[in-house]
Amino acid sequence: MSTVETEFKPLLNQSVGYGVVVGVGFFFAALMLVLTTLQAKFSKFSPSSSEEFTSASRSVKPGLVCCGIVSAWTWSATLLQSSTAAYTFGVSGPWWYGVGGTIQLAIFAMVAAKVKMNANGAHTFLEIAKVRFGTGAHLLFTFYAFLCILVVCGSLLLGGAATVNALTGMNIIAACFLLPIGIAVYVVFGGLRATFICDYAHTLILFIIIYIFFGEVYGASQEVGSIGALYDLLVQAGKDAPVVGNQDGSYVTMKSNQGLVFGAATILSGFSGVFCDQGYWQRAIASAPRSTTKAYMLGGLSWFAVPWAFASCLGLAARALVTNPKFPTFPNPLSPSQTSAGLAAPAAAAVVMGKGGAIAILLVVFMAVTSAVSAELIAVSSLFAYDLYRTYFRPKATSAEIVRVSHYFICFWAVWAGCWSTILHKASIDLGWLFYVQGVVLSPAVIPIALTVTWSKLTRAGVFCGCIIGAVLGMLAWMIGCWKIFGEINVPNLAQPYSAVCSGLTGLLFSGLITGFVSLAKPAKYDFADTRAIAVYDDDASTAETASDQDESGSGSAVEKSPPGDKEATKGAISAEVVLVKTGNDEALDASHAELEKVFKRAAWYSLALTVAVAILVPIPMFFSHYVFSKGFYTFWVACTIIWAAMSGIWCMVLPLWESRAEIMIIARGVLARK
């Protein structure tokens, strides 16, 4: 394979790049502002309330939460890095990328059930840690939460900027700064519910473009034209540029040593990307209590179709079309730096659809970046407002103050995200590097964070020992593994899949073992009474104020404060629709516990079944059998991707509208009545 780098020839003018980034961005901002205004006018929800702004009044229905999960978890890396894996490893790459994000969402469904059971009044997962373990653990998890958001924002903006630059020639630094600006506008004015509505619009466009690429690559395109023709091209590609570690060097086999290691790295990166990211906790908090787990189950199944189908289509098409004169780097394949930047999918789109394909990729990557960045902006503003500002600076901050501070920090973070991604770009850090290193730096915190809301025997010592010792061991494994495998420790080698797996697996497993053993040495008997007492924030400052106080032992305890003789008003300030916030009705509390315990058990069985199916039953027998796909089986494989993507798209597009039909009619009647 040639290692000569040929410049990726842009198909579009710079004006198109600026038009999409600025024009489409502000179009969506304007659309969301209109929808937010209508919602505030014709419904009981107003983004001026801190509860509505940061947690959508905990009333979002499962269809919209499912859609939000798909949209928020569809990063630029989901589309670009999965296609890179297909281009590099063959059919195993998209499958393992899908596994690396789906099983985490399935397992998080159990955590989401426990959030509703044990801390339904919380706004962030850090708030739960503060109440249970006090300031030390709270600051430790705060470090990991902000580190996660830094890595995620860097991945999103660098991947998006690299694609915009490759397709239009737009300046990468300009793209890094302009991408978050329009997003910040509608997040500031609409809060979390606006991001859910925008997620729906983005997911709609995402699936429509995926269906268009299906039609072109598997049907209409003269360069490919059919599934059988693509198979023939991939067979020839396996002869021209065989994959080291694949059976017979083929791109149409699950027997891929590099693909298997990539799968392990993706799974580790996925765990850290879900459990350490406030965005996913925020969606669990925002959903209606009885439907939280169902939303995450549906979200995981629906999301799997995105990387599997998209990358199986465009990533493999890129590999098949390397020798096509229309390929952007013809006569050479993509260089290692271009591959790491995620340009396989844009290259394939440019060949099969020309400028139309370039515009479609530009739009779908833009949708992925904006939807995921909007989730990160609302998440990071919640962390700052509740876990820094209200916890350490203004314990009696009113609802209006919380919203105002959230607005300020969203604006600050939108600018800082541009600065941060520019720093990474200048340091030659790209999407591929961040993708692999995410699991390295965040995996030690995954199990302690998850156990905080699920395991009554977890202790403060277990949390600290697990996170800190796990991080030290993970870093040592990273350096030693890189040195032993590649003979040299440098920036590119540290982000190789083998190095990332050495570190991420060590950090995750040892952190979990140490956390468990230290906690069991002197187990706690925590009953979650304090975390259940975290109250929904009162929007009427004259009625009640909610603050978190430290008890004498150092563990936090959320208490409800009210003027003397006004206890009934305080109880009334806590929404009756929110379960498991203390209301003095123990029978209702027990009934809710029993119901959510059943939900938790269903989620446990579901996550186990899904994990076994996608991580073991399907790929492992094909790996050890060394099976190379026949044309008939490859056709069946592609048909499965199309069917799964079709079902996921219909589910994400139709269910939210059906569930919200009553609210849509109310708003429509209100608008028509004023004409």
Side-chain angles (χ1 to χ4, degrees):
M1 182 186 297
S2 173
T3 57
V4 178
E5 179 168 342
T6 302
E7 182 183 0
F8 195 104
K9 298 182 286 289
L11 290 179
L12 305 171
N13 295 325
Q14 285 192 30
S15 58
V16 177
Y18 284 98
V20 169
V21 171
V22 178
V24 177
F26 278 94
F27 167 77
F28 268 98
L31 178 63
M32 291 307 114
L33 288 177
V34 171
L35 293 176
T36 300
T37 302
L38 292 174
Q39 168 205 302
K41 195 172 191 66
F42 298 110
S43 77
K44 61 182 179 181
F45 303 119
S46 171
S48 61
S49 153
S50 63
E51 285 298 324
E52 171 64 17
F53 188 85
T54 60
S55 58
S57 302
R58 305 165 200 266
S59 62
V60 184
K61 296 175 181 177
L64 199 55
V65 175
C66 166
C67 196
I69 291 166
V70 172
S71 184
W73 203 208
T74 302
W75 301 356
S76 49
T78 303
L79 304 173
L80 303 178
Q81 194 66 28
S82 62
S83 297
T84 295
Y87 176 84
T88 307
F89 312 127
V91 294
S92 66
W95 181 270
W96 283 119
Y97 195 101
V99 172
T102 294
I103 62 175
Q104 291 84 353
L105 292 175
I107 293 172
F108 195 81
M110 296 189 295
V111 177
K114 286 292 186 180
V115 169
K116 291 302 180 185
M117 188 183 303
N118 294 328
N120 190 54
H123 306 86
T124 69
F125 75 91
L126 301 180
E127 199 172 21
I128 302 170
K130 177 70 165 63
V131 169
R132 182 167 180 181
F133 296 120
T135 301
H138 180 257
L139 293 176
L140 177 64
F141 285 168
T142 299
F143 166 78
Y144 275 107
F146 276 93
L147 179 62
C148 178
I149 291 176
L150 279 175
V151 173
V152 171
C153 287
S155 296
L156 293 168
L157 295 179
L158 284 177
T163 301
V164 173
N165 170 262
L167 294 174
T168 69
M170 179 181 178
N171 184 274
I172 287 182
I173 296 175
C176 287
F177 276 97
L178 290 174
L179 279 168
I181 300 302
I183 309 167
V185 173
Y186 71 77
V187 174
V188 163
F189 287 99
L192 183 60
R193 194 178 296 273
T195 71
F196 275 113
I197 298 171
C198 197
D199 286 345
Y200 175 78
H202 290 175
T203 305
L204 180 70
I205 294 171
L206 168 68
F207 278 106
I208 289 173
I209 291 178
I210 289 176
Y211 300 154
I212 291 172
F213 280 127
F214 283 168
E216 289 293 329
V217 173
Y218 300 137
S221 170
Q222 294 181 352
E223 283 70 25
V224 181
S226 69
I227 298 174
L230 180 59
Y231 175 84
D232 293 337
L233 289 170
L234 289 171
V235 170
Q236 185 60 44
K239 298 175 182 177
D240 297 339
V243 185
V244 177
N246 279 28
Q247 182 67 31
D248 301 331
S250 175
Y251 289 91
V252 287
T253 177
M254 290 296 288
K255 170 56 176 70
S256 173
N257 297 339
Q258 294 186 72
L260 191 64
V261 174
F262 169 77
T266 304
I267 290 170
L268 293 169
S269 179
F271 271 113
S272 57
V274 170
F275 283 83
C276 297
D277 192 342
Q278 166 61 17
Y280 297 95
W281 292 82
Q282 202 133 10
R283 278 160 168 71
I285 290 166
S287 60
R290 291 174 177 82
S291 61
T292 304
T293 300
K294 180 168 68 173
Y296 273 85
M297 292 176 180
L298 295 176
L301 285 172
S302 299
W303 178 87
F304 185 87
V306 176
W308 186 34
F310 184 89
S312 293
C313 179
L314 288 186
L316 292 176
R319 172 51 66 187
L321 297 170
V322 163
T323 57
N324 190 298
K326 294 182 180 179
F327 198 78
T329 60
F330 182 82
N332 297 307
L334 296 173
S335 69
S337 62
Q338 290 167 338
T339 303
S340 184
L343 299 185
V351 175
V352 298
M353 290 179 63
K355 289 187 177 182
I359 292 172
I361 282 288
L362 188 61
L363 191 59
V364 77
V365 170
F366 176 78
M367 295 293 101
V369 172
T370 53
S371 59
V373 169
S374 68
E376 296 306 310
L377 286 177
I378 197 71
V380 77
S381 70
S382 298
L383 294 178
F384 181 81
Y386 286 101
D387 293 293
L388 295 180
Y389 181 73
R390 199 184 78 169
T391 300
Y392 297 110
F393 299 102
R394 290 274 293 172
K396 296 184 179 181
T398 63
S399 175
E401 285 181 89
I402 294 293
V403 174
R404 185 168 61 251
V405 168
S406 297
H407 289 172
Y408 292 153
F409 200 74
I410 287 169
C411 296
F412 163 78
W413 196 265
V415 176
W416 164 244
C419 297
W420 171 243
S421 54
T422 300
I423 293 169
L424 293 174
H425 172 66
K426 290 297 184 181
S428 299
I429 302 299
D430 59 16
L431 173 66
W433 199 92
L434 286 172
F435 173 78
Y436 286 115
V437 171
Q438 175 176 304
V440 171
V441 298
L442 297 174
S443 59
V446 169
I447 294 178
I449 288 174
L451 293 180
T452 296
V453 75
T454 58
W455 194 34
S456 61
K457 296 181 180 180
L458 182 66
T459 63
R460 186 185 291 106
V463 167
F464 276 97
C465 291
C467 284
I468 296 172
I469 298 176
V472 171
L473 294 176
M475 289 295 166
L476 288 174
W478 194 25
M479 300 298 172
I480 295 172
C482 179
W483 177 51
K484 289 290 186 181
I485 295 169
F486 301 103
E488 183 182 2
I489 298 176
N490 56 34
V491 171
N493 288 343
L494 286 172
Q496 293 295 322
Y498 286 95
S499 302
V501 169
C502 286
S503 175
L505 195 58
T506 301
L508 183 70
L509 292 182
F510 277 93
S511 170
L513 291 173
I514 292 168
T515 300
F517 285 137
V518 172
S519 295
L520 289 174
K522 191 176 180 181
K525 295 180 180 179
Y526 194 69
D527 60 2
F528 293 101
D530 290 339
T531 58
R532 290 176 189 140
I534 300 173
V536 172
Y537 202 79
D538 184 10
D539 293 321
D540 183 359
S542 65
T543 303
E545 292 176 340
T546 304
S548 293
D549 292 340
Q550 293 289 319
D551 62 22
E552 294 180 358
S553 65
S555 63
S557 177
V559 296
E560 298 165 28
K561 295 182 179 181
S562 61
D566 199 17
K567 294 182 180 179
E568 291 302 316
T570 302
K571 291 181 182 179
I574 302 172
S575 172
E577 295 178 359
V578 179
V579 300
L580 302 180
V581 176
K582 283 191 173 180
T583 62
N585 188 339
D586 292 335
E587 291 182 3
L589 190 64
D590 292 338
S592 297
H593 263 296
E595 184 178 357
L596 288 176
E597 192 64 46
K598 292 179 181 177
V599 171
F600 173 78
K601 290 178 180 178
R602 284 199 300 269
W605 283 110
Y606 158 79
S607 61
L608 177 63
L610 182 63
T611 300
V612 170
V614 300
I616 298 174
L617 292 182
V618 173
I620 299 304
M622 285 195 284
F623 180 89
F624 285 109
S625 68
H626 294 204
Y627 176 62
V628 177
F629 291 7
S630 65
K631 184 177 289 189
F633 188 82
Y634 178 73
T635 302
F636 168 74
W637 185 266
V638 171
C640 289
T641 70
I642 295 172
I643 293 169
W644 199 319
M647 294 176 64
S648 298
I650 292 171
W651 192 262
C652 289
M653 289 185 281
V654 174
L655 184 60
L657 292 178
W658 175 255
E659 289 179 339
S660 302
R661 61 193 183 281
E663 291 82 356
I664 293 172
M665 290 303 298
I666 290 172
I667 293 175
R669 289 194 197 100
V671 172
L672 293 174
R674 290 179 174 271
K675 289 186 177 181

